[in-house]
Amino acid sequence: MSAAPPSPAPRAAVDGETSRRRGLGWLLLVPGMLWLAVFFLFPTIQLFFTSLYDPSGSYEQGYTMTWHVMNYVDAVTDTWNLFVRSFAYAGIATVVCLALSYPLAYAIAFKAGRWKNFLLVLVIAPFFTSFLLRTLAWRTILSDQGPVTSFLQTIAVLPDDGRLLATPVAVIAGLVYNFMPFMTLPLYASLDKVDHRLIEAAGDLYSSPIAGFRRVTFPLSLPGVVSGTLLTFIPACGDYINAELLGTPKQYMVGNRIQSAFLTEHNYPLAASLSLILMAVVVVMVVLYIRRAGTEDLV
Amino acid sequence: MAENEADAGKDLRLERLTKRFGDFVAVDDLTLTVPRGSFFALLGPSGCGKTTTLRMVAGLEDPSAGRVLIGDQDITHLRPYKRPVNTVFQSYALFPHLSIFENVAFGLRRRGVKDYQQKTRDMLELVQLGPYGDRKPAQLSGGQQQRVALGRALINEPGVLLLDEPLGALDLKLRRQMQIELKRIQTEIDVTFVHVTHDQEEAMTMADTIAVMNHGVIEQMGAPADLYENPVTTFVANFLGQSNLIKTNVIGTSGGEIVLDCHGQKLAVAAARSHADGRSAWLGVRPEKIYASVAGVEDRTDADVLTGGRVTDVSFIGVSTQYLVAMPWGQELMVFEQNTGSRPSFRNGDEVDLMWAPDHAFLLDADQDAHAGMMRPEDRE
Amino acid sequence: MTGSLASRERATAAVPPPPARRPAGRWLADHLVLLLGILVLVYMFVPIGYIFALSFNQPSGRGATAEFESFTWSNWGSVCEPEGLCESLKLSFAVSLTATVLATLLGTLMAFALVRHSFRGRSASNLLIFLPMATPEVVMGSSLLAMFVSLGFDGVLGFVTIVIAHVMFCLSFVVVTVKARLVGMDARLEQAAMDLYANEWQTFRLVTLPLAMPGIVAAALLSFTLSFDDFIVTNFTAGQSVTFPLYVYGAKLKDFPPQLFVVGSAMFLVSFAVVIAAELWRRRRSTWSR
């Protein structure tokens, strides 16, 4: 080594190296990005064009592009009540989900001690089995002869001929149940990061634990609340299984309509414009919500 | 191994080393030589460029200009793993997924050293962690982790060992203990240590040579005592310990001394201790070098004397009593007095004269900021 | 910069924990939360109990819905008896495993690129990764179907198209999961490895990868779960193929054979056992990740 000439290393080699590393970054990113571009972005753009086809065409005979903006107007006038219902159901389900998940996540983060990991496993365990089977189980539980309905009838909350299945209550209950872990896990993750000493300090500074929770614990868990509500609300908006298995056409959501327009009626322009309206509304709501909650580093 | 031992016989040299981040110059045209086997400290406040310098030596940062040499070998652009240099990282950077033994053996195994097991066991003994080889870093205390980090670097017998705020994460008591231990190990194994710290006391305790850095350049370099007793800039005077800086005018020289006028009173300072060339200058005196006496009682011709002081604050801190003395021109000077118990302490409002030996003072250029290098109270340890 | 970090660390270490205060009402508050948590957990397990119960059900005849009639062991011995059930399971496993491997691989690479490399177009990349997560499944499924149809793929819809779709919606979740792990990783660990004579590849293999592994494994498990359980997107892209969720959905027309619930119970038991075993193994092995 001592024989090595003391010549300065060429700068070019180093610059070459940094650009090689930048190239490596692209190399790592490109396959996944291509996948998303080809199988997500491109279909979405194509969907946009589909939504402007002449609706008098058909799946068999093909469509002609007429920039038929009226498809959107038709879609909205035809199904605005489905949109309202979807967002109402999804919104209520998200709030209930948050109300149920918060104590659970809080208990695991702060009260579980050495049982923390075990309880986390228990939270996700029900979801090891199939989504549809769970929904079917709820169909049985909430059925007219089922225990919940009979109990509610006995205590006279429900009239004797009242039912749960095939009502909005059942559909919302199904949504709540099925998207619970999407709420609980992000909540847990952010609560777990909260420094326990801060909560103790809050107990020291604000006399009541409720004030301490409101001013310290809850604000600190806000990133979890934001991602949890998004991860619950987004799939709930587009879901149609709960409405189909636990409700009746009276409880159908936008998802049901899109699915039937696509797969049964093959009315692609209608289905496409419905899809795009749903996507646009959801994306706008999500962006506004993230702005308002002030956590932009979701990704 | 042989090449490392050979490297141990060489100096570390930085030649016109510069690092820019965009428009910000972190290290500015830095040239210095660290003699082999020395314990060298780079001391300075946050953002002064000391850590950037260290990282350029380690190969973790690529210099914008200049060279890094060990002996005659240019290592400026070598990848970190090709340099005979090892680092003790700030907060240690121990591999959490590997045991203590695997952490310490890491470097030897990468270089394919055959008897790494025996060497690792020996190193664990040296840093007094023999029984802990199977543990994971998280199971050790802060002080033990610090010793793992040290052992993990030292086992490679580096030509230069870099220490980046190595004791920063330890509590005060443990830090003092580790300072002594580090110094002992360094003396024992005779490796060049380059130590980066913002803690002047830590630098003075351990290093033979200190370079005080500020804004990317070295303000002054030398033995701790020289830096303390004879600082050449107001930054060094304030950053290392505390100084009284008094505005004076140079009025002449007489027999190896410079004569000064200080608000109407005449003072002198040894010419060898003058680092000023203008007509006005800062006269610096360390607070513990000043002797306070009851006004008008003592008249010393061999000392610099300032009269007309009045005590405005008295702080008793155990080993010493610290006074603030207001001078006629409004400035408050610090005076520290050992609590020898030979005389009663002053009280607020007492009239005092201040005196010191002319060769305890130093003279600095007046165009510098008198507050440079002063730390806000919260930065002080 | 480093100095201020160090002094901040010391500052936090120096703050003594405030004295614990335990007013009497707090005990109730503490345990109320725990109690609520447990109640919610119980609620989450109610349908699982039903699925187990229904797996022992012997429906009396045609037209029966999923309601308990009489007890039998026989369903557990005749899982494959309903036509197409086991084939759908096989297809589901094949799809999920393939999609998981692809999505985890591509997503992990993307996460590394986003965390470790700087390049132009980072925010556009982030947006493209975020969008699929903000898009309802029914939209993704329908747009993919429309594309496949327009490309004339409607004849070959099946395994390949399902996998394509599943990788697409799993990718974003993998990127987010692995990224979170990588961001939390101390860059100094890799610098330390380089300082200790590990070249770039050794540093990646011995330090970066092992430390990122928990994130990668979590991402893979998440992908598998999302893929195996997916109905909506699959329904659009499967053509004539039938995955397990599609089979269950179709079975509403054939009075829900009880074997479905056997499969559901078995899925629960197996994954529960695997997770518990992994947790025990991890606990025995080390405590470093704590």
Side-chain angles (χ1 to χ4, degrees):
Chain A
M1 273 295 194
S2 54
S7 64
R11 292 281 309 155
V14 179
D15 291 337
E17 186 155 49
T18 35
S19 72
R20 187 179 62 87
R21 286 175 71 83
R22 186 166 300 148
L24 183 64
W26 271 104
L27 209 64
L28 297 177
L29 195 66
V30 159
M33 279 305 181
L34 268 182
W35 200 287
L36 287 179
V38 174
F39 300 117
F40 173 76
L41 204 57
F42 179 69
T44 310
I45 294 167
Q46 202 190 23
L47 195 69
F48 172 71
F49 288 113
T50 308
S51 72
L52 297 170
Y53 285 161
D54 182 353
S56 60
S58 74
Y59 172 57
E60 289 79 16
Q61 292 153 17
Y63 292 98
T64 45
M65 177 49 125
T66 56
W67 302 98
H68 197 84
V69 185
M70 284 305 284
N71 281 336
Y72 283 91
V73 180
D74 293 344
V76 171
T77 45
D78 187 31
T79 56
W80 65 271
N81 57 328
L82 290 184
F83 277 104
V84 173
R85 189 184 293 148
S86 293
F87 293 124
Y89 284 7
I92 296 170
T94 305
V95 171
V96 176
C97 223
L98 180 63
L100 289 179
S101 297
Y102 208 100
L104 179 59
Y106 189 94
I108 297 173
F110 296 127
K111 308 290 173 202
R114 54 194 299 263
W115 295 100
K116 213 183 239 185
N117 283 328
F118 181 71
L119 285 178
L120 272 180
V121 172
L122 285 189
V123 168
I124 41 172
F127 303 88
F128 291 155
T129 183
S130 170
F131 169 58
L132 283 146
L133 287 176
R134 276 177 279 140
T135 313
L136 280 181
W138 276 111
R139 191 180 155 103
T140 312
I141 297 165
L142 299 175
S143 68
D144 295 347
Q145 296 80 38
V148 184
T149 311
S150 332
F151 174 72
L152 291 177
Q153 282 167 348
T154 316
I155 63 168
V157 171
L158 271 180
D160 284 346
D161 59 345
R163 30 187 339 207
L164 283 173
L165 198 65
T167 65
V169 176
V171 178
I172 293 171
L175 290 172
V176 167
Y177 183 80
N178 278 313
F179 299 116
M180 275 274 281
F182 294 109
M183 183 67 89
T184 311
L185 294 179
L187 274 181
Y188 163 78
S190 63
L191 278 170
D192 195 45
K193 276 189 216 150
V194 174
D195 186 347
H196 211 82
R197 282 180 308 185
L198 291 178
I199 299 176
E200 284 172 355
D204 212 47
L205 298 170
Y206 308 100
S207 48
S208 97
I210 293 175
F213 173 80
R214 202 163 56 83
R215 296 189 192 191
V216 177
T217 316
F218 188 75
L220 287 173
S221 68
L222 219 50
V225 175
V226 172
S227 41
T229 45
L230 289 179
L231 287 175
T232 311
F233 183 78
I234 295 167
C237 281
D239 181 80
Y240 60 86
I241 296 301
N242 286 287
E244 184 164 341
L245 293 182
L246 300 173
T248 66
K250 278 188 198 154
Q251 283 82 39
Y252 273 10
M253 298 164 70
V254 176
N256 301 78
R257 189 72 189 92
I258 295 175
Q259 188 243 13
S260 65
F262 253 112
L263 297 180
T264 319
E265 301 159 27
H266 297 298
N267 185 348
Y268 285 6
L270 173 69
S273 41
L274 283 174
S275 292
L276 281 169
I277 296 171
L278 177 63
M279 183 177 176
V281 174
V282 168
V283 168
V284 166
M285 284 168 102
V286 165
V287 169
L288 287 179
Y289 179 72
I290 294 178
R291 282 273 157 79
R292 187 151 166 66
T295 28
E296 306 208 12
D297 50 334
L298 195 74
V299 182
Chain B
M1 286 317 267
E3 73 186 39
N4 279 335
E5 274 153 26
D7 289 326
K10 296 167 186 170
D11 299 345
L12 168 68
R13 288 191 292 143
L14 311 183
E15 285 180 0
R16 312 204 57 176
L17 201 60
T18 301
K19 178 68 186 179
R20 281 181 289 268
F21 297 102
D23 290 337
F24 176 69
V25 183
V27 176
D28 193 0
D29 202 19
L30 185 81
T31 298
L32 67 84
T33 299
V34 179
R36 66 160 220 91
S38 64
F39 199 131
F40 187 90
L42 270 175
L43 173 67
S46 304
C48 72
K50 56 189 193 300
T51 297
T52 308
T53 307
L54 191 84
R55 289 172 60 84
M56 285 191 284
V57 176
L60 300 172
E61 210 79 72
D62 198 38
S64 309
R67 301 202 297 164
V68 180
L69 299 108
I70 289 185
D72 290 329
Q73 189 200 349
D74 187 329
I75 62 165
T76 316
H77 300 294
L78 280 186
R79 303 292 294 149
Y81 49 85
K82 293 196 175 146
R83 301 180 179 216
V85 168
N86 292 106
T87 310
V88 175
F89 285 81
Q90 188 174 22
S91 47
Y92 324 132
L94 300 180
F95 304 125
H97 59 302
L98 300 180
S99 70
I100 299 308
F101 184 92
E102 289 166 322
N103 261 282
V104 174
F106 194 91
L108 293 183
R109 295 187 62 183
R110 296 289 77 69
R111 288 187 298 149
V113 173
K114 288 283 181 309
D115 56 342
Y116 72 90
Q117 291 194 323
Q118 187 53 45
K119 288 195 157 142
T120 304
R121 278 192 291 271
D122 292 347
M123 180 50 70
L124 285 174
E125 289 303 326
L126 180 73
V127 294
Q128 299 161 20
L129 286 170
Y132 297 98
D134 292 335
R135 302 229 185 146
K136 290 279 165 67
Q139 294 167 297
L140 300 189
S141 71
Q144 289 169 329
Q145 292 183 20
Q146 210 283 332
R147 292 205 294 264
V148 177
L150 187 64
R152 186 178 73 170
L154 279 180
I155 196 168
N156 304 295
E157 300 176 29
V160 178
L161 183 76
L162 307 175
L163 302 109
D164 184 6
E165 303 271 4
L167 308 179
L170 303 181
D171 65 42
L172 194 66
K173 206 173 147 196
L174 200 51
R175 214 175 327 154
R176 296 279 171 266
Q177 209 175 311
M178 288 302 300
Q179 285 171 7
I180 296 165
E181 200 161 332
L182 266 181
K183 183 72 196 161
R184 177 183 65 80
I185 291 176
Q186 195 265 340
T187 322
E188 232 167 70
I189 59 174
D190 193 34
V191 166
T192 311
F193 276 34
V194 177
H195 175 206
V196 154
T197 181
H198 69 285
D199 181 341
Q200 42 119 352
E201 212 174 313
E202 187 170 298
M204 291 204 274
T205 310
M206 293 194 282
D208 335 303
T209 310
I210 297 178
V212 180
M213 265 189 101
N214 188 28
H215 297 309
V217 298
I218 290 180
E219 295 253 340
Q220 189 177 358
M221 197 168 104
D226 293 342
L227 256 55
Y228 185 82
E229 300 296 351
N230 194 4
V232 300
T233 64
T234 56
F235 179 86
V236 177
N238 289 320
F239 194 79
L240 278 182
Q242 288 164 281
S243 297
N244 293 301
L245 295 177
I246 308 164
K247 194 89 175 178
T248 58
N249 286 316
V250 178
I251 52 178
T253 51
S254 114
E257 284 190 340
I258 294 173
V259 186
L260 305 159
D261 169 73
C262 169
H263 303 275
Q265 308 192 41
K266 212 175 251 185
L267 297 173
V269 64
R273 300 171 64 83
S274 165
H275 313 290
D277 20 71
R279 241 188 61 73
S280 69
W282 294 112
L283 177 73
V285 200
R286 298 284 186 185
E288 73 278 9
K289 299 290 195 311
I290 305 181
Y291 177 75
S293 74
V294 178
V297 170
E298 288 184 56
D299 186 18
R300 305 267 295 267
T301 49
D302 57 334
D304 281 338
V305 182
L306 283 175
T307 57
R310 194 168 45 79
V311 176
T312 56
D313 187 73
V314 182
S315 310
F316 175 78
I317 59 158
V319 293
S320 66
T321 302
Q322 308 193 344
Y323 300 105
L324 282 182
V325 178
M327 301 313 289
W329 58 91
Q331 188 180 8
E332 283 188 323
L333 301 182
M334 294 176 287
V335 178
F336 298 168
E337 183 177 343
Q338 285 288 309
N339 282 324
T340 54
S342 58
R343 63 171 187 173
S345 55
F346 293 106
R347 281 180 300 183
N348 272 353
D350 286 354
E351 306 277 324
V352 292
D353 294 340
L354 304 181
M355 51 202 71
W356 61 86
D359 52 353
H360 280 163
F362 45 88
L363 204 62
L364 305 174
D365 242 14
D367 55 5
Q368 304 173 74
D369 176 10
H371 298 286
M374 275 191 186
M375 282 189 277
R376 281 160 289 137
E378 62 266 27
D379 292 339
R380 283 263 176 215
E381 287 302 314
Chain C
M1 48 200 161
T2 53
S4 73
L5 182 67
S7 58
R8 193 165 354 114
E9 275 166 17
R10 263 194 308 280
T12 13
V15 175
R21 290 164 44 115
R22 300 194 66 81
R26 179 105 166 251
W27 187 91
L28 187 68
D30 283 5
H31 290 75
L32 191 67
V33 171
L34 196 58
L35 194 70
L36 280 176
I38 290 170
L39 279 179
V40 174
L41 261 187
V42 169
Y43 154 76
M44 293 174 86
F45 273 86
V46 167
I48 305 303
Y50 265 78
I51 288 172
F52 269 90
L54 289 169
S55 74
F56 298 106
N57 184 26
Q58 184 161 41
S60 51
R62 268 199 79 81
T65 50
E67 275 154 38
F68 200 84
E69 294 182 30
S70 62
F71 183 88
T72 176
W73 289 103
S74 65
N75 300 329
W76 282 77
S78 60
V79 176
C80 287
E81 199 172 87
E83 199 190 329
L85 174 55
C86 283
E87 286 72 16
S88 75
L89 272 175
K90 264 183 230 153
L91 179 63
S92 270
F93 271 109
V95 166
S96 305
L97 285 174
T98 318
T100 300
V101 169
L102 281 172
T104 308
L105 186 71
L106 295 179
T108 302
L109 295 181
M110 287 165 87
F112 268 100
L114 288 170
V115 175
R116 290 304 160 87
H117 298 270
S118 59
F119 45 81
R120 289 155 160 274
R122 171 186 296 269
S123 43
S125 312
N126 276 330
L127 184 69
L128 188 53
I129 292 162
F130 169 73
L131 269 180
M133 291 195 294
T135 306
E137 276 192 73
V138 69
V139 178
M140 293 195 280
S142 56
S143 59
L144 257 182
L145 174 62
M147 182 180 85
F148 289 143
V149 169
S150 73
L151 293 177
F153 282 10
D154 28 349
V156 294
L157 291 177
F159 179 80
V160 174
T161 50
I162 304 174
V163 167
I164 285 174
H166 284 200
V167 171
M168 184 266 291
F169 70 71
C170 289
L171 253 182
S172 304
F173 287 96
V174 173
V175 176
V176 171
T177 312
V178 177
K179 232 177 109 178
R181 177 83 194 175
L182 289 179
V183 166
M185 248 165 70
D186 187 350
R188 273 179 305 212
L189 292 173
E190 286 160 298
Q191 294 171 359
M194 296 262 255
D195 188 62
L196 294 166
Y197 310 103
N199 60 31
E200 283 86 353
W201 167 242
Q202 288 171 325
T203 301
F204 178 76
R205 191 168 53 88
L206 297 168
V207 176
T208 318
L209 197 58
L211 289 174
M213 218 24 141
I216 298 173
V217 170
L221 288 176
L222 184 66
S223 290
F224 188 86
T225 316
L226 288 173
S227 166
F228 195 88
D229 207 20
D230 181 75
F231 172 77
I232 296 179
V233 172
T234 316
N235 194 25
F236 281 98
T237 50
Q240 298 306 308
S241 305
V242 180
T243 62
F244 181 67
L246 294 188
Y247 186 88
V248 176
Y249 182 76
K252 71 177 176 175
L253 308 171
K254 329 177 213 166
D255 51 302
F256 301 116
Q259 283 85 352
L260 290 183
F261 298 101
V262 173
V263 173
S265 311
M267 272 161 67
F268 175 82
L269 288 178
V270 170
S271 23
F272 194 70
V274 167
V275 172
I276 292 291
E279 171 64 17
L280 288 178
W281 179 73
R282 196 187 67 80
R283 220 178 249 206
R284 262 183 58 159
R285 193 167 139 262
S286 70
T287 52
W288 62 266
S289 60
R290 278 282 304 137

